[in-house]
Amino acid sequence: MSRSFAIADTCFLIDWARYRGRDLLFKLYVVYVPESVLREVKSESTIAWIASRLASGDLALFTETESEVEEARSIVERSRRMPNMPGVDLPEAVCIAVGRRRGYVVLTENRGALKFVELAEDYAGVTIHRSLEILLQLQLRGHLRPDCGDPALRFREYEEDTKHLFPRKDLLNAVAVIRRELCGEAQEVGGA
């Protein structure tokens, strides 16, 4: 199966640089890194990982156009006007704008970005994948071996390496998919 194009924000890249299976990401995606995101990265180890993956062609630098930056600024402003929602910052907004314009998958953990795409009808077609969805897909596609004795193990390893905790409900749903699809466990009916 061919890899999809994706565009990643800063926090996503920082987390993945810490993860022991970080290069598995490129089994699923060719990842673009906007210049605005690259400017935010300060960690030497993250910079070294990004540089090595740029050299290999798994990561590619993305230069934002003026119109993409203008659209991103509009996203930032709109997100700040939406009640009860975390705002979207410019680098994440660039990823959303590019995701909409080019059909790239947006790689982020940013709650504001997730919520914005959910609430803004004109951005409903933008696909956002968090690390949780990526780890699930890596297992479903055979790139990361599941542990049927402990179906939460691969997610927990990521949490331990990155100190990024997944929302429990989402994690339980992903573990249920692993149990059902890869471990052959029947789904309980009626909650007995």
Side-chain angles (χ1 to χ4, degrees):
M1 176 174 239
S2 66
R3 300 185 294 170
S4 300
F5 289 117
I7 188 160
D9 72 11
T10 312
C11 292
F12 181 89
L13 291 170
I14 290 169
D15 281 354
W16 272 83
R18 293 179 185 146
Y19 172 50
R20 68 187 80 175
R22 63 184 161 259
D23 291 337
L24 290 171
L25 177 65
F26 308 114
K27 298 285 188 184
L28 301 178
Y29 308 105
V30 173
V31 181
Y32 285 95
V33 181
E35 288 182 8
S36 57
V37 166
L38 200 53
R39 284 191 293 270
E40 286 190 326
V41 178
K42 305 294 183 218
S43 160
E44 287 184 29
S45 61
T46 302
I47 291 169
W49 177 65
I50 289 172
S52 73
R53 301 327 302 175
L54 283 167
S56 73
D58 290 323
L59 284 174
L61 188 60
F62 186 89
T63 303
E64 304 94 315
T65 66
E66 192 173 311
S67 67
E68 288 163 339
V69 172
E70 279 306 310
E71 182 176 344
R73 286 187 180 120
S74 172
I75 291 168
V76 170
E77 290 170 3
R78 286 175 63 184
S79 75
R80 299 283 194 272
R81 283 190 237 120
M82 293 176 159
N84 303 317
M85 190 186 116
V88 178
D89 293 324
L90 191 62
E92 290 79 22
V94 165
C95 292
I96 293 169
V98 171
R100 184 178 74 84
R101 288 174 175 224
R102 297 179 181 255
Y104 295 174
V105 174
V106 176
L107 306 178
T108 186
E109 301 292 341
N110 184 285
R111 286 186 14 225
L114 289 161
K115 199 71 169 163
F116 180 82
V117 167
E118 182 182 309
L119 297 176
E121 288 182 21
D122 49 336
Y123 287 86
V126 175
T127 300
I128 292 185
H129 286 174
R130 302 170 296 172
S131 298
L132 180 75
E133 287 88 16
I134 294 166
L135 292 168
L136 177 59
Q137 283 304 308
L138 284 167
Q139 291 176 83
L140 291 173
R141 294 185 188 182
H143 300 300
L144 181 61
R145 187 178 184 160
D147 182 331
C148 289
D150 181 4
L153 178 66
R154 302 302 174 219
F155 303 102
R156 201 168 51 252
E157 288 173 343
Y158 182 88
E159 288 180 328
E160 290 167 3
D161 292 352
T162 66
K163 309 302 182 234
H164 176 95
L165 300 179
F166 297 121
R168 292 298 109 180
K169 180 181 175 186
D170 296 341
L171 177 59
L172 291 173
N173 288 338
V175 168
V177 170
I178 296 296
R179 284 190 168 120
R180 183 179 64 250
E181 300 294 324
L182 300 176
C183 299
E185 294 182 27
Q187 184 120 11
E188 288 185 29
V189 180

